[in-house]
Amino acid sequence: MTTATNKVEIRRGLMGVYFDRSDSCFIDGTVGKLLYRGYDIHELAENSTFEEVVHLLLFGKLPNRKELDAFDKQLRADRDIPDKVLDIMDTVKNGHPMDVLRTAVSALSAFDPEVKDNSEAAIIRKGLRLTAKAPTIVAAHDRLRKGLKPVKPNASLNHAGNFLYMLNGKMPSEDEMHIMDVDFILHAEHGSNASAFAARVAASTQTDLHSAVVAGIATLKGPAHGGAAEEVMKMAEEIGRPENAESYARNILDHGGRVMGFGHRVYKAEDPRARHLRDRSHTLGISKGQPQWFEILAKLQEVMKPYQAKGIYVNVDFFAGSIYYLMGIPDDIFISIFALGRIPGWTLNVAEQYRSNILIRPLTDYSGPMDVPYTPISKRN
Ligand code: SDX
């Protein structure tokens, strides 16, 4: 919405505003197209791995076999977190998983020898260390709050498999490892979304990567951004059966509410990431003997079809929650999984900001009184 006053044009929410150039991520919201460094998300989701995609995002190219092996070896070597950080996490273990992740990333800055180095190479190295350690943080926290010992990272497993292994304390199935890997790919980067923009605003003041990632985590936590997957699953549980979906959605819409997992600031066509989670929600539900969740979500998507005329389609979060639920992941960790995927994207945004940095400082159009005379307290009634 823009309102032209007699002085300025205001673009609330910075809607439609281009604030910089970027070669990291292309989104055409009118047709639902998404490219990471020029590669189509459908190709990456179906043929690549999270490790390859992180390399593509941070180094600008898909790695060859030798490069991938060295890169993957480094990521696996960087998964451990200091005991002192685990102690801090134990102190705050009753907090929300995103608050504990945010706290642990802050604490890690005290243990990273390059924390003050804002060169691009150091930013990338620190971002990779955080990418490697974040699953350990999320999994260890869940174990601590359950009174269990954290499970040490398993270097024989890839990034996605190791996360599930540390979380559940048992080897994940090949199928679950692959689904989680695709999920991380789909969440890895998305241009100047709110959390990436928050990280860029932080970086524009020349602060360090850890501080910028903390800003990203804090911003992602909101249900309008990253918290929707958890809300979608709560909605599916409240709906209970596919035949209830229509009246449930109607009730929300008639009261001017938002049906979670639908709508997007940029996509006015289907979010291209959604289909890759839709198929997997369907197959996983059947294999787990719980087909009802996909059936409820599919019915809800059908009920919302008329809203496509207004550019309201499913987004990446709509099917994600049912997948995490079927994997037995606690619902307050759903959003943390989004953050685990997005750390490389935040790192790339910070590196891009630093490449030709300028302080990000927009204006507000003042609408208050002018030059009000000061009244000493003795004269105020
Ligand atoms: C992500 O930006 C990114 O790239 C984010 C993301 C990423 O990868 O980083 O893609 C991830 O954040 C996905 C979005 C997850 N959030 C949700 O699913 C929450 C539900 N969605 C909405 O809150 C909403 O769609 C937003 C916040 C996502 C986008 O909202 P906008 O762009 O600010 O649009 P709006 O709220 O002003 O809505 C415009 C119109 C309104 O109708 P009118 O008042 O004009 O008649 O669309 C309607 C809204 O009522 N609308 C919805 C709706 N979303 C928008 N109506 C019903 N249900 C919805 N979900």
Side-chain angles (χ1 to χ4, degrees), residues 36-57:
Y36 288 173
R37 297 286 205 167
Y39 289 86
D40 192 291
I41 193 64
H42 299 309
E43 301 261 33
L44 295 171
E46 293 311 323
N47 307 311
S48 195
T49 64
F50 180 65
E51 285 83 352
E52 273 199 357
V53 166
V54 174
H55 189 285
L56 169 65
L57 288 172

Side-chain angles (χ1 to χ4, degrees), residues 190 225 258-259 261-262 264-265 273 310 315 317 342:
H190 211 243
H225 184 10
R258 298 277 194 282
V259 180
F262 285 88
H264 197 280
R265 174 58 62 80
R273 300 167 291 181
K310 280 179 73 179
N315 58 49
D317 289 322
R342 188 54 56 89

Side-chain angles (χ1 to χ4, degrees), residues 98-229:
M98 281 289 269
D99 298 342
V100 175
L101 175 61
R102 192 188 66 223
T103 305
V105 168
S106 286
L108 280 173
S109 65
F111 297 85
D112 193 308
E114 296 188 293
V115 63
K116 290 194 175 67
D117 184 342
N118 289 330
S119 66
E120 177 146 351
I123 287 172
I124 300 292
R125 283 192 297 269
K126 291 185 282 185
L128 289 175
R129 286 195 281 272
L130 288 177
T131 299
K133 293 177 190 314
T136 311
I137 293 167
V138 173
H141 167 234
D142 193 50
R143 304 279 297 182
L144 287 169
R145 68 177 177 175
K146 290 173 178 166
L148 302 169
K149 235 162 87 50
V151 175
K152 298 290 284 173
N154 181 332
S156 73
L157 294 171
N158 71 2
H159 193 79
N162 176 57
F163 170 59
L164 293 172
Y165 168 74
M166 294 187 294
L167 190 64
N168 300 320
K170 64 181 181 10
M171 292 303 267
S173 70
E174 284 299 322
D175 192 33
E176 288 180 334
M177 280 170 51
H178 180 65
I179 292 174
M180 187 52 69
D181 187 57
V182 172
D183 183 85
F184 283 152
I185 290 172
L186 296 171
H187 285 91
E189 158 61 8
H190 211 243
S192 60
N193 55 87
S195 54
F197 186 67
R200 284 190 79 141
V201 170
S204 78
T205 70
Q206 299 170 42
T207 189
D208 57 85
L209 177 81
H210 286 75
S211 302
V213 169
V214 165
I217 295 170
T219 307
L220 181 70
K221 188 182 171 195
H225 184 10

Side-chain angles (χ1 to χ4, degrees), residues 85-94 100 141 144-145:
V85 173
L86 279 170
D87 293 344
I88 292 168
M89 289 167 54
D90 193 48
T91 305
V92 297
K93 67 186 171 198
N94 294 326
V100 175
H141 167 234
L144 287 169
R145 68 177 177 175

